[in-house]
Amino acid sequence: MKAAVPAFGGKAAHYSLLARTEGLPVRKAFAIPAFYYVQFMEENGFFARVDALLADPTFKEKPEVRDARLKELRAEMKKAPVNAELQALLKAKLAADYPGLSMRFRTSTNSEDLEGFPCAGCYESHTGDPSDWEDVLEAIRKTWASVWLFRTFEEREYNSIPHKSVVMALLVHHNFPDEEANGVALTANPFDPSGLQPGFYVNVQAGGDAEVVHPPPGITSDQFIYEFHQPGLPLTYLSHSNLVGAGQTVLTSAQVFELGKALALIHERFSPAYGPRAGHTGWYAMDVEFKFDGEPGEPPRLSVKQARPHPGRGR
C-alpha cells in the first residue's frame, strides 16, 4: 500500500485497501495517477512558473506577496488546457462505468493522509457533471490548483516539505449530493491513551451544509464514545446535534452498530502498516470519514469515504 503513494497519493492508496476489505462498505472508485498532474504542469509551463516564484526574494520574505502570486498561479491553472489523451480516456471510463452520474474528484497527494503528516484540509476537492464536459475539466483543474493554496504552501514550508516534490493524483467516485449524515471517527478512544477503556470516538452531523469538524457558530453535532467491544456496547454521548429534534440522535442504534463494525474492520486492516501488527507500541488509531446516504425511498446506508493514520499515535 505505501509503495503506491508516490503514484496514487495517500488517499487513493488507503482507499484501495478499504475497497479490498471484505464487509466494508465503500463506493466504487478509481484513481487518476499523479502522472497526469505532472503532465499538466509541464505542458503548461507551471513548474517553470513555480521555480521563478521560489527564486524571488520578495515572494520568500512577504506573506502578502506569496498569497497574491499563488492566487495568480491558481487562476492560470484553472484556465489551462488539459491533455487530450487524458480527456479521451476519462470520457470513456465515465461513460462505461458511471453513466449519467456526477463525479467527485478528490485530492490524493503524496503529502496528505500520511503517517505523521495528515495535512487534513490542506487541499480542496470538487464535483463535475460529465453531461457538461467543461464542468468536469473545471473540477479537475480546480482540484489540481489547490496544491498551491496559500495555507497549503505555508503548511509545507513549516514542515520543510519541498514544494515541487508534491504531486496530486485524483480519487474519483460518484458524489454524495444529499447524504443523510456525515461524520468522522477515530478507531480508538482518544480520552484513554492507556488502552484500558477501548472505544471508538465518533463525531457525526445530520446531512446538510453544516460541517462536522468546523461547524458554523452555534451549531453542535452528536459526539460519542462507542465501546463496541464491551458487553452491552456502551454508548456515551459527549454532545448532541441541535440540527435534529430534542431527544433525537443523528444515527439510529442500528446505524451506530453498522458503523462500529466498519471501524473495527478498519482498525484491524491497517494495523500491519500503522499499528501493533507493524511492531508499533502505544496508542494507535485510524482517522475515518464516513457518510450515511440512500437513494430516494431507501434507508440510508453507511459508506466509508477514507481512512488515514491519526497523527497522535504513540510510538
Side-chain angles (χ1 to χ4, degrees), residues 162-200:
H163 298 286
K164 285 182 62 181
S165 71
V166 176
V167 293
M168 182 183 285
L170 299 174
L171 176 62
V172 187
H173 56 67
H174 176 40
N175 70 321
F176 296 84
D178 297 302
E179 72 270 7
E180 281 75 13
N182 67 95
V184 296
L186 299 181
T187 64
N189 185 351
F191 303 103
D192 179 43
S194 69
L196 297 177
Q197 190 177 357
F200 302 140

PDB file of all heavy atoms in Angstrom, residues 162-200:
ATOM      1  N   PRO A 162       9.635  19.986   0.344  1.00  0.00           N
ATOM      2  CA  PRO A 162       9.905  20.668  -0.927  1.00  0.00           C
ATOM      3  C   PRO A 162       8.624  20.781  -1.763  1.00  0.00           C
ATOM      4  O   PRO A 162       7.949  19.787  -2.022  1.00  0.00           O
ATOM      5  CB  PRO A 162      10.938  19.759  -1.605  1.00  0.00           C
ATOM      6  CG  PRO A 162      11.568  18.989  -0.492  1.00  0.00           C
ATOM      7  CD  PRO A 162      10.477  18.790   0.519  1.00  0.00           C
ATOM      8  N   HIS A 163       8.313  21.983  -2.189  1.00  0.00           N
ATOM      9  CA  HIS A 163       7.021  22.234  -2.829  1.00  0.00           C
ATOM     10  C   HIS A 163       6.852  21.482  -4.147  1.00  0.00           C
ATOM     11  O   HIS A 163       5.780  20.956  -4.431  1.00  0.00           O
ATOM     12  CB  HIS A 163       6.835  23.736  -3.044  1.00  0.00           C
ATOM     13  CG  HIS A 163       6.829  24.505  -1.764  1.00  0.00           C
ATOM     14  ND1 HIS A 163       5.760  24.478  -0.891  1.00  0.00           N
ATOM     15  CD2 HIS A 163       7.773  25.298  -1.187  1.00  0.00           C
ATOM     16  CE1 HIS A 163       6.034  25.240   0.168  1.00  0.00           C
ATOM     17  NE2 HIS A 163       7.246  25.745   0.003  1.00  0.00           N
ATOM     18  N   LYS A 164       7.891  21.422  -4.949  1.00  0.00           N
ATOM     19  CA  LYS A 164       7.762  20.750  -6.244  1.00  0.00           C
ATOM     20  C   LYS A 164       7.774  19.235  -6.126  1.00  0.00           C
ATOM     21  O   LYS A 164       7.489  18.539  -7.102  1.00  0.00           O
ATOM     22  CB  LYS A 164       8.879  21.210  -7.184  1.00  0.00           C
ATOM     23  CG  LYS A 164       8.670  22.617  -7.733  1.00  0.00           C
ATOM     24  CD  LYS A 164       9.776  23.012  -8.692  1.00  0.00           C
ATOM     25  CE  LYS A 164       9.824  22.107  -9.908  1.00  0.00           C
ATOM     26  NZ  LYS A 164      10.904  22.476 -10.835  1.00  0.00           N
ATOM     27  N   SER A 165       8.080  18.728  -4.928  1.00  0.00           N
ATOM     28  CA  SER A 165       8.037  17.279  -4.732  1.00  0.00           C
ATOM     29  C   SER A 165       6.609  16.781  -4.548  1.00  0.00           C
ATOM     30  O   SER A 165       6.353  15.577  -4.606  1.00  0.00           O
ATOM     31  CB  SER A 165       8.871  16.876  -3.511  1.00  0.00           C
ATOM     32  OG  SER A 165       8.231  17.286  -2.305  1.00  0.00           O
ATOM     33  N   VAL A 166       5.680  17.710  -4.330  1.00  0.00           N
ATOM     34  CA  VAL A 166       4.286  17.342  -4.097  1.00  0.00           C
ATOM     35  C   VAL A 166       3.566  17.169  -5.429  1.00  0.00           C
ATOM     36  O   VAL A 166       3.576  18.080  -6.271  1.00  0.00           O
ATOM     37  CB  VAL A 166       3.570  18.398  -3.238  1.00  0.00           C
ATOM     38  CG1 VAL A 166       2.103  18.055  -3.074  1.00  0.00           C
ATOM     39  CG2 VAL A 166       4.250  18.511  -1.885  1.00  0.00           C
ATOM     40  N   VAL A 167       2.963  16.014  -5.627  1.00  0.00           N
ATOM     41  CA  VAL A 167       2.188  15.745  -6.837  1.00  0.00           C
ATOM     42  C   VAL A 167       0.815  15.234  -6.418  1.00  0.00           C
ATOM     43  O   VAL A 167       0.648  14.672  -5.336  1.00  0.00           O
ATOM     44  CB  VAL A 167       2.888  14.724  -7.757  1.00  0.00           C
ATOM     45  CG1 VAL A 167       4.175  15.308  -8.314  1.00  0.00           C
ATOM     46  CG2 VAL A 167       3.174  13.417  -7.027  1.00  0.00           C
ATOM     47  N   MET A 168      -0.164  15.437  -7.292  1.00  0.00           N
ATOM     48  CA  MET A 168      -1.544  15.105  -6.927  1.00  0.00           C
ATOM     49  C   MET A 168      -2.176  14.121  -7.893  1.00  0.00           C
ATOM     50  O   MET A 168      -2.361  14.420  -9.077  1.00  0.00           O
ATOM     51  CB  MET A 168      -2.416  16.364  -6.866  1.00  0.00           C
ATOM     52  CG  MET A 168      -3.865  16.077  -6.437  1.00  0.00           C
ATOM     53  SD  MET A 168      -4.938  17.533  -6.453  1.00  0.00           S
ATOM     54  CE  MET A 168      -4.374  18.373  -4.967  1.00  0.00           C
ATOM     55  N   ALA A 169      -2.522  12.951  -7.360  1.00  0.00           N
ATOM     56  CA  ALA A 169      -3.430  12.048  -8.053  1.00  0.00           C
ATOM     57  C   ALA A 169      -4.856  12.453  -7.680  1.00  0.00           C
ATOM     58  O   ALA A 169      -5.069  13.308  -6.816  1.00  0.00           O
ATOM     59  CB  ALA A 169      -3.149  10.606  -7.644  1.00  0.00           C
ATOM     60  N   LEU A 170      -5.833  11.842  -8.330  1.00  0.00           N
ATOM     61  CA  LEU A 170      -7.239  12.126  -8.034  1.00  0.00           C
ATOM     62  C   LEU A 170      -7.968  10.816  -7.742  1.00  0.00           C
ATOM     63  O   LEU A 170      -7.844   9.844  -8.493  1.00  0.00           O
ATOM     64  CB  LEU A 170      -7.912  12.834  -9.205  1.00  0.00           C
ATOM     65  CG  LEU A 170      -7.330  14.190  -9.615  1.00  0.00           C
ATOM     66  CD1 LEU A 170      -8.003  14.688 -10.889  1.00  0.00           C
ATOM     67  CD2 LEU A 170      -7.490  15.217  -8.500  1.00  0.00           C
ATOM     68  N   LEU A 171      -8.707  10.794  -6.649  1.00  0.00           N
ATOM     69  CA  LEU A 171      -9.602   9.687  -6.338  1.00  0.00           C
ATOM     70  C   LEU A 171     -10.987  10.083  -6.827  1.00  0.00           C
ATOM     71  O   LEU A 171     -11.510  11.130  -6.425  1.00  0.00           O
ATOM     72  CB  LEU A 171      -9.614   9.416  -4.838  1.00  0.00           C
ATOM     73  CG  LEU A 171     -10.579   8.336  -4.344  1.00  0.00           C
ATOM     74  CD1 LEU A 171     -10.245   6.987  -4.930  1.00  0.00           C
ATOM     75  CD2 LEU A 171     -10.583   8.285  -2.810  1.00  0.00           C
ATOM     76  N   VAL A 172     -11.599   9.264  -7.685  1.00  0.00           N
ATOM     77  CA  VAL A 172     -12.825   9.651  -8.386  1.00  0.00           C
ATOM     78  C   VAL A 172     -13.946   8.664  -8.083  1.00  0.00           C
ATOM     79  O   VAL A 172     -13.762   7.451  -8.221  1.00  0.00           O
ATOM     80  CB  VAL A 172     -12.594   9.720  -9.912  1.00  0.00           C
ATOM     81  CG1 VAL A 172     -13.817  10.299 -10.615  1.00  0.00           C
ATOM     82  CG2 VAL A 172     -11.338  10.538 -10.240  1.00  0.00           C
ATOM     83  N   HIS A 173     -15.090   9.183  -7.671  1.00  0.00           N
ATOM     84  CA  HIS A 173     -16.279   8.340  -7.490  1.00  0.00           C
ATOM     85  C   HIS A 173     -17.520   9.209  -7.610  1.00  0.00           C
ATOM     86  O   HIS A 173     -17.440  10.444  -7.611  1.00  0.00           O
ATOM     87  CB  HIS A 173     -16.252   7.612  -6.139  1.00  0.00           C
ATOM     88  CG  HIS A 173     -16.127   8.501  -4.937  1.00  0.00           C
ATOM     89  ND1 HIS A 173     -17.104   9.383  -4.535  1.00  0.00           N
ATOM     90  CD2 HIS A 173     -15.110   8.645  -4.043  1.00  0.00           C
ATOM     91  CE1 HIS A 173     -16.722  10.011  -3.453  1.00  0.00           C
ATOM     92  NE2 HIS A 173     -15.503   9.607  -3.131  1.00  0.00           N
ATOM     93  N   HIS A 174     -18.674   8.566  -7.714  1.00  0.00           N
ATOM     94  CA  HIS A 174     -19.950   9.296  -7.719  1.00  0.00           C
ATOM     95  C   HIS A 174     -20.074  10.082  -6.425  1.00  0.00           C
ATOM     96  O   HIS A 174     -19.770   9.568  -5.340  1.00  0.00           O
ATOM     97  CB  HIS A 174     -21.101   8.308  -7.872  1.00  0.00           C
ATOM     98  CG  HIS A 174     -22.466   8.921  -7.790  1.00  0.00           C
ATOM     99  ND1 HIS A 174     -22.786  10.143  -8.358  1.00  0.00           N
ATOM    100  CD2 HIS A 174     -23.610   8.489  -7.181  1.00  0.00           C
ATOM    101  CE1 HIS A 174     -24.043  10.423  -8.124  1.00  0.00           C
ATOM    102  NE2 HIS A 174     -24.565   9.435  -7.414  1.00  0.00           N
ATOM    103  N   ASN A 175     -20.497  11.333  -6.512  1.00  0.00           N
ATOM    104  CA  ASN A 175     -20.529  12.172  -5.323  1.00  0.00           C
ATOM    105  C   ASN A 175     -21.752  11.871  -4.452  1.00  0.00           C
ATOM    106  O   ASN A 175     -22.639  11.103  -4.826  1.00  0.00           O
ATOM    107  CB  ASN A 175     -20.501  13.666  -5.701  1.00  0.00           C
ATOM    108  CG  ASN A 175     -21.786  14.118  -6.352  1.00  0.00           C
ATOM    109  OD1 ASN A 175     -22.370  13.397  -7.154  1.00  0.00           O
ATOM    110  ND2 ASN A 175     -22.243  15.312  -6.029  1.00  0.00           N
ATOM    111  N   PHE A 176     -21.757  12.465  -3.273  1.00  0.00           N
ATOM    112  CA  PHE A 176     -22.854  12.308  -2.322  1.00  0.00           C
ATOM    113  C   PHE A 176     -23.639  13.619  -2.306  1.00  0.00           C
ATOM    114  O   PHE A 176     -23.331  14.528  -1.513  1.00  0.00           O
ATOM    115  CB  PHE A 176     -22.304  12.034  -0.919  1.00  0.00           C
ATOM    116  CG  PHE A 176     -21.532  10.746  -0.792  1.00  0.00           C
ATOM    117  CD1 PHE A 176     -20.197  10.691  -1.137  1.00  0.00           C
ATOM    118  CD2 PHE A 176     -22.145   9.603  -0.312  1.00  0.00           C
ATOM    119  CE1 PHE A 176     -19.472   9.514  -1.002  1.00  0.00           C
ATOM    120  CE2 PHE A 176     -21.433   8.417  -0.171  1.00  0.00           C
ATOM    121  CZ  PHE A 176     -20.092   8.377  -0.519  1.00  0.00           C
ATOM    122  N   PRO A 177     -24.646  13.787  -3.159  1.00  0.00           N
ATOM    123  CA  PRO A 177     -25.316  15.095  -3.242  1.00  0.00           C
ATOM    124  C   PRO A 177     -26.203  15.422  -2.061  1.00  0.00           C
ATOM    125  O   PRO A 177     -26.334  16.575  -1.668  1.00  0.00           O
ATOM    126  CB  PRO A 177     -26.126  14.980  -4.531  1.00  0.00           C
ATOM    127  CG  PRO A 177     -26.364  13.510  -4.695  1.00  0.00           C
ATOM    128  CD  PRO A 177     -25.157  12.825  -4.138  1.00  0.00           C
ATOM    129  N   ASP A 178     -26.853  14.425  -1.458  1.00  0.00           N
ATOM    130  CA  ASP A 178     -27.838  14.696  -0.394  1.00  0.00           C
ATOM    131  C   ASP A 178     -27.738  13.650   0.708  1.00  0.00           C
ATOM    132  O   ASP A 178     -28.715  12.976   1.032  1.00  0.00           O
ATOM    133  CB  ASP A 178     -29.258  14.700  -0.975  1.00  0.00           C
ATOM    134  CG  ASP A 178     -29.463  15.806  -1.997  1.00  0.00           C
ATOM    135  OD1 ASP A 178     -29.276  16.970  -1.635  1.00  0.00           O
ATOM    136  OD2 ASP A 178     -29.795  15.488  -3.148  1.00  0.00           O
ATOM    137  N   GLU A 179     -26.553  13.508   1.297  1.00  0.00           N
ATOM    138  CA  GLU A 179     -26.394  12.498   2.333  1.00  0.00           C
ATOM    139  C   GLU A 179     -27.235  12.837   3.566  1.00  0.00           C
ATOM    140  O   GLU A 179     -27.464  14.008   3.864  1.00  0.00           O
ATOM    141  CB  GLU A 179     -24.918  12.338   2.735  1.00  0.00           C
ATOM    142  CG  GLU A 179     -24.343  13.491   3.538  1.00  0.00           C
ATOM    143  CD  GLU A 179     -23.738  14.560   2.666  1.00  0.00           C
ATOM    144  OE1 GLU A 179     -23.883  14.478   1.429  1.00  0.00           O
ATOM    145  OE2 GLU A 179     -23.095  15.474   3.214  1.00  0.00           O
ATOM    146  N   GLU A 180     -27.670  11.786   4.258  1.00  0.00           N
ATOM    147  CA  GLU A 180     -28.488  11.988   5.458  1.00  0.00           C
ATOM    148  C   GLU A 180     -27.633  12.286   6.692  1.00  0.00           C
ATOM    149  O   GLU A 180     -28.102  12.888   7.654  1.00  0.00           O
ATOM    150  CB  GLU A 180     -29.354  10.748   5.718  1.00  0.00           C
ATOM    151  CG  GLU A 180     -30.597  10.657   4.847  1.00  0.00           C
ATOM    152  CD  GLU A 180     -30.292  10.255   3.398  1.00  0.00           C
ATOM    153  OE1 GLU A 180     -29.155   9.811   3.114  1.00  0.00           O
ATOM    154  OE2 GLU A 180     -31.189  10.390   2.554  1.00  0.00           O
ATOM    155  N   ALA A 181     -26.379  11.838   6.688  1.00  0.00           N
ATOM    156  CA  ALA A 181     -25.478  12.106   7.810  1.00  0.00           C
ATOM    157  C   ALA A 181     -24.050  12.009   7.312  1.00  0.00           C
ATOM    158  O   ALA A 181     -23.742  11.241   6.395  1.00  0.00           O
ATOM    159  CB  ALA A 181     -25.710  11.108   8.947  1.00  0.00           C
ATOM    160  N   ASN A 182     -23.180  12.808   7.912  1.00  0.00           N
ATOM    161  CA  ASN A 182     -21.762  12.714   7.585  1.00  0.00           C
ATOM    162  C   ASN A 182     -20.962  12.870   8.868  1.00  0.00           C
ATOM    163  O   ASN A 182     -21.392  13.549   9.819  1.00  0.00           O
ATOM    164  CB  ASN A 182     -21.351  13.772   6.553  1.00  0.00           C
ATOM    165  CG  ASN A 182     -21.444  15.180   7.093  1.00  0.00           C
ATOM    166  OD1 ASN A 182     -20.459  15.746   7.569  1.00  0.00           O
ATOM    167  ND2 ASN A 182     -22.648  15.781   7.029  1.00  0.00           N
ATOM    168  N   GLY A 183     -19.809  12.212   8.924  1.00  0.00           N
ATOM    169  CA  GLY A 183     -19.074  12.248  10.171  1.00  0.00           C
ATOM    170  C   GLY A 183     -17.634  11.823  10.042  1.00  0.00           C
ATOM    171  O   GLY A 183     -17.160  11.409   8.981  1.00  0.00           O
ATOM    172  N   VAL A 184     -16.928  11.947  11.157  1.00  0.00           N
ATOM    173  CA  VAL A 184     -15.548  11.482  11.290  1.00  0.00           C
ATOM    174  C   VAL A 184     -15.485  10.630  12.549  1.00  0.00           C
ATOM    175  O   VAL A 184     -16.275  10.803  13.484  1.00  0.00           O
ATOM    176  CB  VAL A 184     -14.551  12.651  11.374  1.00  0.00           C
ATOM    177  CG1 VAL A 184     -14.545  13.451  10.085  1.00  0.00           C
ATOM    178  CG2 VAL A 184     -14.868  13.568  12.555  1.00  0.00           C
ATOM    179  N   ALA A 185     -14.531   9.708  12.569  1.00  0.00           N
ATOM    180  CA  ALA A 185     -14.401   8.823  13.719  1.00  0.00           C
ATOM    181  C   ALA A 185     -12.945   8.414  13.898  1.00  0.00           C
ATOM    182  O   ALA A 185     -12.171   8.380  12.928  1.00  0.00           O
ATOM    183  CB  ALA A 185     -15.280   7.579  13.539  1.00  0.00           C
ATOM    184  N   LEU A 186     -12.589   8.113  15.133  1.00  0.00           N
ATOM    185  CA  LEU A 186     -11.289   7.526  15.446  1.00  0.00           C
ATOM    186  C   LEU A 186     -11.529   6.096  15.899  1.00  0.00           C
ATOM    187  O   LEU A 186     -12.471   5.821  16.664  1.00  0.00           O
ATOM    188  CB  LEU A 186     -10.585   8.307  16.551  1.00  0.00           C
ATOM    189  CG  LEU A 186     -10.253   9.770  16.271  1.00  0.00           C
ATOM    190  CD1 LEU A 186      -9.531  10.385  17.469  1.00  0.00           C
ATOM    191  CD2 LEU A 186      -9.407   9.900  15.019  1.00  0.00           C
ATOM    192  N   THR A 187     -10.670   5.196  15.464  1.00  0.00           N
ATOM    193  CA  THR A 187     -10.857   3.784  15.796  1.00  0.00           C
ATOM    194  C   THR A 187     -10.270   3.412  17.154  1.00  0.00           C
ATOM    195  O   THR A 187     -10.078   2.234  17.453  1.00  0.00           O
ATOM    196  CB  THR A 187     -10.246   2.883  14.712  1.00  0.00           C
ATOM    197  OG1 THR A 187      -8.824   3.090  14.671  1.00  0.00           O
ATOM    198  CG2 THR A 187     -10.852   3.178  13.355  1.00  0.00           C
ATOM    199  N   ALA A 188      -9.967   4.412  17.983  1.00  0.00           N
ATOM    200  CA  ALA A 188      -9.553   4.193  19.369  1.00  0.00           C
ATOM    201  C   ALA A 188     -10.051   5.366  20.193  1.00  0.00           C
ATOM    202  O   ALA A 188     -10.404   6.421  19.654  1.00  0.00           O
ATOM    203  CB  ALA A 188      -8.030   4.057  19.477  1.00  0.00           C
ATOM    204  N   ASN A 189     -10.094   5.184  21.500  1.00  0.00           N
ATOM    205  CA  ASN A 189     -10.616   6.197  22.410  1.00  0.00           C
ATOM    206  C   ASN A 189      -9.538   7.246  22.693  1.00  0.00           C
ATOM    207  O   ASN A 189      -8.553   6.957  23.374  1.00  0.00           O
ATOM    208  CB  ASN A 189     -11.054   5.524  23.713  1.00  0.00           C
ATOM    209  CG  ASN A 189     -11.716   6.483  24.676  1.00  0.00           C
ATOM    210  OD1 ASN A 189     -11.717   7.701  24.462  1.00  0.00           O
ATOM    211  ND2 ASN A 189     -12.273   5.944  25.748  1.00  0.00           N
ATOM    212  N   PRO A 190      -9.682   8.481  22.205  1.00  0.00           N
ATOM    213  CA  PRO A 190      -8.639   9.491  22.414  1.00  0.00           C
ATOM    214  C   PRO A 190      -8.534   9.955  23.860  1.00  0.00           C
ATOM    215  O   PRO A 190      -7.537  10.572  24.244  1.00  0.00           O
ATOM    216  CB  PRO A 190      -9.084  10.644  21.504  1.00  0.00           C
ATOM    217  CG  PRO A 190     -10.562  10.505  21.415  1.00  0.00           C
ATOM    218  CD  PRO A 190     -10.818   9.025  21.447  1.00  0.00           C
ATOM    219  N   PHE A 191      -9.547   9.660  24.672  1.00  0.00           N
ATOM    220  CA  PHE A 191      -9.530  10.051  26.077  1.00  0.00           C
ATOM    221  C   PHE A 191      -8.903   8.975  26.966  1.00  0.00           C
ATOM    222  O   PHE A 191      -8.824   9.145  28.183  1.00  0.00           O
ATOM    223  CB  PHE A 191     -10.953  10.351  26.552  1.00  0.00           C
ATOM    224  CG  PHE A 191     -11.641  11.405  25.735  1.00  0.00           C
ATOM    225  CD1 PHE A 191     -12.596  11.067  24.796  1.00  0.00           C
ATOM    226  CD2 PHE A 191     -11.302  12.748  25.880  1.00  0.00           C
ATOM    227  CE1 PHE A 191     -13.223  12.036  24.021  1.00  0.00           C
ATOM    228  CE2 PHE A 191     -11.926  13.730  25.116  1.00  0.00           C
ATOM    229  CZ  PHE A 191     -12.877  13.365  24.184  1.00  0.00           C
ATOM    230  N   ASP A 192      -8.450   7.877  26.343  1.00  0.00           N
ATOM    231  CA  ASP A 192      -7.863   6.774  27.106  1.00  0.00           C
ATOM    232  C   ASP A 192      -6.633   6.241  26.388  1.00  0.00           C
ATOM    233  O   ASP A 192      -6.665   5.175  25.778  1.00  0.00           O
ATOM    234  CB  ASP A 192      -8.893   5.654  27.291  1.00  0.00           C
ATOM    235  CG  ASP A 192      -8.317   4.473  28.048  1.00  0.00           C
ATOM    236  OD1 ASP A 192      -7.602   4.692  29.041  1.00  0.00           O
ATOM    237  OD2 ASP A 192      -8.552   3.326  27.616  1.00  0.00           O
ATOM    238  N   PRO A 193      -5.519   6.991  26.400  1.00  0.00           N
ATOM    239  CA  PRO A 193      -4.321   6.529  25.698  1.00  0.00           C
ATOM    240  C   PRO A 193      -3.720   5.259  26.278  1.00  0.00           C
ATOM    241  O   PRO A 193      -2.923   4.589  25.625  1.00  0.00           O
ATOM    242  CB  PRO A 193      -3.349   7.713  25.858  1.00  0.00           C
ATOM    243  CG  PRO A 193      -3.835   8.461  27.052  1.00  0.00           C
ATOM    244  CD  PRO A 193      -5.322   8.294  27.043  1.00  0.00           C
ATOM    245  N   SER A 194      -4.109   4.878  27.504  1.00  0.00           N
ATOM    246  CA  SER A 194      -3.576   3.651  28.099  1.00  0.00           C
ATOM    247  C   SER A 194      -4.147   2.401  27.457  1.00  0.00           C
ATOM    248  O   SER A 194      -3.562   1.318  27.553  1.00  0.00           O
ATOM    249  CB  SER A 194      -3.895   3.625  29.603  1.00  0.00           C
ATOM    250  OG  SER A 194      -5.292   3.470  29.812  1.00  0.00           O
ATOM    251  N   GLY A 195      -5.310   2.522  26.819  1.00  0.00           N
ATOM    252  CA  GLY A 195      -5.944   1.360  26.214  1.00  0.00           C
ATOM    253  C   GLY A 195      -6.757   0.527  27.179  1.00  0.00           C
ATOM    254  O   GLY A 195      -7.264  -0.533  26.808  1.00  0.00           O
ATOM    255  N   LEU A 196      -6.916   0.992  28.405  1.00  0.00           N
ATOM    256  CA  LEU A 196      -7.662   0.230  29.407  1.00  0.00           C
ATOM    257  C   LEU A 196      -9.174   0.357  29.218  1.00  0.00           C
ATOM    258  O   LEU A 196      -9.929  -0.462  29.733  1.00  0.00           O
ATOM    259  CB  LEU A 196      -7.274   0.691  30.810  1.00  0.00           C
ATOM    260  CG  LEU A 196      -5.802   0.468  31.193  1.00  0.00           C
ATOM    261  CD1 LEU A 196      -5.519   1.032  32.578  1.00  0.00           C
ATOM    262  CD2 LEU A 196      -5.458  -1.014  31.138  1.00  0.00           C
ATOM    263  N   GLN A 197      -9.613   1.400  28.519  1.00  0.00           N
ATOM    264  CA  GLN A 197     -11.040   1.577  28.237  1.00  0.00           C
ATOM    265  C   GLN A 197     -11.205   1.825  26.742  1.00  0.00           C
ATOM    266  O   GLN A 197     -11.471   2.943  26.306  1.00  0.00           O
ATOM    267  CB  GLN A 197     -11.619   2.736  29.047  1.00  0.00           C
ATOM    268  CG  GLN A 197     -13.143   2.819  28.974  1.00  0.00           C
ATOM    269  CD  GLN A 197     -13.690   3.937  29.848  1.00  0.00           C
ATOM    270  OE1 GLN A 197     -12.949   4.609  30.537  1.00  0.00           O
ATOM    271  NE2 GLN A 197     -15.010   4.108  29.820  1.00  0.00           N
ATOM    272  N   PRO A 198     -11.046   0.786  25.932  1.00  0.00           N
ATOM    273  CA  PRO A 198     -11.095   0.971  24.476  1.00  0.00           C
ATOM    274  C   PRO A 198     -12.471   1.390  24.000  1.00  0.00           C
ATOM    275  O   PRO A 198     -13.490   1.082  24.619  1.00  0.00           O
ATOM    276  CB  PRO A 198     -10.719  -0.413  23.935  1.00  0.00           C
ATOM    277  CG  PRO A 198     -11.105  -1.359  25.030  1.00  0.00           C
ATOM    278  CD  PRO A 198     -10.856  -0.616  26.311  1.00  0.00           C
ATOM    279  N   GLY A 199     -12.485   2.111  22.911  1.00  0.00           N
ATOM    280  CA  GLY A 199     -13.743   2.544  22.317  1.00  0.00           C
ATOM    281  C   GLY A 199     -13.480   3.332  21.059  1.00  0.00           C
ATOM    282  O   GLY A 199     -12.329   3.662  20.738  1.00  0.00           O
ATOM    283  N   PHE A 200     -14.528   3.625  20.325  1.00  0.00           N
ATOM    284  CA  PHE A 200     -14.442   4.460  19.128  1.00  0.00           C
ATOM    285  C   PHE A 200     -14.979   5.853  19.459  1.00  0.00           C
ATOM    286  O   PHE A 200     -15.996   5.986  20.148  1.00  0.00           O
ATOM    287  CB  PHE A 200     -15.276   3.866  17.994  1.00  0.00           C
ATOM    288  CG  PHE A 200     -14.875   2.467  17.605  1.00  0.00           C
ATOM    289  CD1 PHE A 200     -15.851   1.522  17.290  1.00  0.00           C
ATOM    290  CD2 PHE A 200     -13.548   2.097  17.547  1.00  0.00           C
ATOM    291  CE1 PHE A 200     -15.496   0.233  16.922  1.00  0.00           C
ATOM    292  CE2 PHE A 200     -13.178   0.803  17.181  1.00  0.00           C
ATOM    293  CZ  PHE A 200     -14.164  -0.126  16.878  1.00  0.00           C
TER     294      PHE A 200
END
